[in-house]
């Protein structure tokens, strides 16, 4: 079995695997990543293969210290430096101008590279001991829910990865906020674990792109061997009409007053706390998806703070049949 508790020895083994061009899944504070040596193009190619990504989307490169940023980027402007000082390690990914040494497969040919320092002791130690930055997308097959536990990764990718380091559930639970700081106007490309409001407190107003820049995809491209995902609908004010004999799930934001017509209900946060809701979001959806339901209704959450990241992922999930 390639799923092991992330002990000191296991992390050392993981670092060896990274150095020899292998793939290691590891915990971060946001979601589990599927990592490869960012300077080894062949290893990175295997990441895309294992994920079954139909096109080469650019990956986030994870660093353990600021020196590694200089190996990857030609320049770190003042704005980026301020954000790094304030929010790293943490769920903020910065898009910066890349060095030629960064393989094109990492950045999908872009002149920029996305970099972040994860706030997770296992991730940091793995990168440190690998002595190289680690390129890592979320450790899920293309088009599927992001993994927030080692079991999710094992279920999804199993033996296709050389090692899965189990560091327990991810405390934040949604992916990092991706911010492009190469443009005159800093732009959020993906809302995530660091609320936009907190970024604005440090560098002033930023632009937020609300379009689907993350993993653009059409359902027709999805490989056939994935088990069909349960359709998701955002719950409107009125109660949904239920066809007899259908099993309906509900992903509720707060504890609902009554169960209603639902076969199975998962509650993101009993007291309506957005941070707790984000941390539980993917695992609640995983459970509902495995419950043999015909459809999952989802109660919208307020679009402030981490709620923006949750709604961004919900709209995407609902957009796919
Ligand atoms: O929290 C996270 O960010 C997790 C953990 C593992 O760190 N990683 C993650 O990676 O979510 P992934 O591959 O699922 O998403 C990477 C996002 C995509 O939206 C991609 O388009 C964007 O980062 N990205 C990467 N490089 C970029 C670049 N050079 N310019 C613009 N966007 C970029
Ligand atoms: Mg992803």
């Amino acid at each position: 079995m390639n799923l092991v508790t992330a002990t000191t020895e296991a992390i050392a083994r993981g670092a060896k695997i990274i150095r020899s061009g292998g793939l290691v899944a590891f915990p971060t504070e946001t979601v589990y990543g599927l990592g490869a040596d960012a300077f080894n193009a062949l290893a990175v190619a295997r990441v895309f293969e294992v994920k079954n990504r139909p096109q080469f989307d650019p990956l986030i490169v994870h660093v353990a210290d600021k020196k590694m940023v200089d190996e990857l980027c030609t320049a770190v402007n003042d704005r980026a430096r301020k954000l790094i000082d304030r929010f790293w390690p943490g769920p903020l990914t910065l898009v910066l101008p890349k060095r030629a040494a960064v393989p094109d497969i990492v950045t999908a040919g872009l002149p920029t590279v996305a970099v972040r320092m994860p706030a997770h002791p296992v991730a940091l130690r793995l990168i440190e001991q690998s002595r190289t930055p680690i390129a890592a997308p979320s450790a899920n097959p293309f088009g599927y829910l992001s993994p927030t536990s080692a079991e999710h990764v094992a279920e999804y990718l199993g033996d296709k990865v050389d090692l899965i380091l189990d560091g327990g559930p991810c405390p934040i639970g949604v992916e990092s906020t991706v911010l492009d700081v190469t443009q005159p106007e800093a732009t959020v490309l993906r809302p995530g674990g660091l609320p936009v409001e907190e970024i604005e407190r440090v560098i002033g107003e930023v632009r937020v792109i609300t379009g689907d820049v993350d993993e653009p995809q059409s359902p027709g491209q999805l490989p056939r061997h994935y088990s069909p995902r349960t359709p998701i609908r955002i719950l409107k004010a009125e109660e949904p009409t239920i066809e007899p004999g259908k099993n309906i799930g509900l992903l509720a934001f707060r504890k609902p007053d009554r169960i209603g017509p639902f076969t199975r209900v998962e509650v993101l946060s009993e007291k309506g706390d957005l941070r707790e809701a984000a941390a539980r979001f993917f695992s609640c959806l995983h459970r509902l998806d495995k419950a043999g339901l015909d459809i999952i209704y989802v109660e919208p959450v307020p679009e402030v703070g981490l709620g923006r990241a949750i709604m961004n992922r919900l709209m995407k999930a609902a957009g796919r049949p």
Side-chain angles (χ1 to χ4, degrees), residues 58-63 72-73 88 92-98 102 106-107 110-116 134-136 176 178-179 189:
L59 302 184
I60 295 171
V61 181
H62 299 71
V63 299
L72 296 162
C73 308
W88 280 12
L92 173 67
T93 295
L94 294 173
V95 173
L96 292 160
K98 89 171 185 82
V102 181
V106 172
T107 62
L110 293 171
T112 52
V113 59
V115 185
R116 92 173 184 99
I134 295 182
S176 62
V178 179
L179 183 74
L189 302 178

Side-chain angles (χ1 to χ4, degrees), residues 51 53 138 140 146 175 190 214-215:
K51 272 193 68 112
R53 270 200 182 179
S138 47
N140 53 307
S146 289
E175 299 91 336
R190 176 180 73 182
D214 186 30
E215 302 187 334

Side-chain angles (χ1 to χ4, degrees), residues 179-203:
L179 183 74
D180 185 348
V181 282
T182 62
Q183 310 298 324
E185 198 180 5
T187 305
V188 173
L189 302 178
R190 176 180 73 182
L194 181 68
V196 175
E197 293 88 335
E198 290 202 31
I199 296 174
E200 292 188 324
R201 231 169 273 150
V202 176
I203 58 165

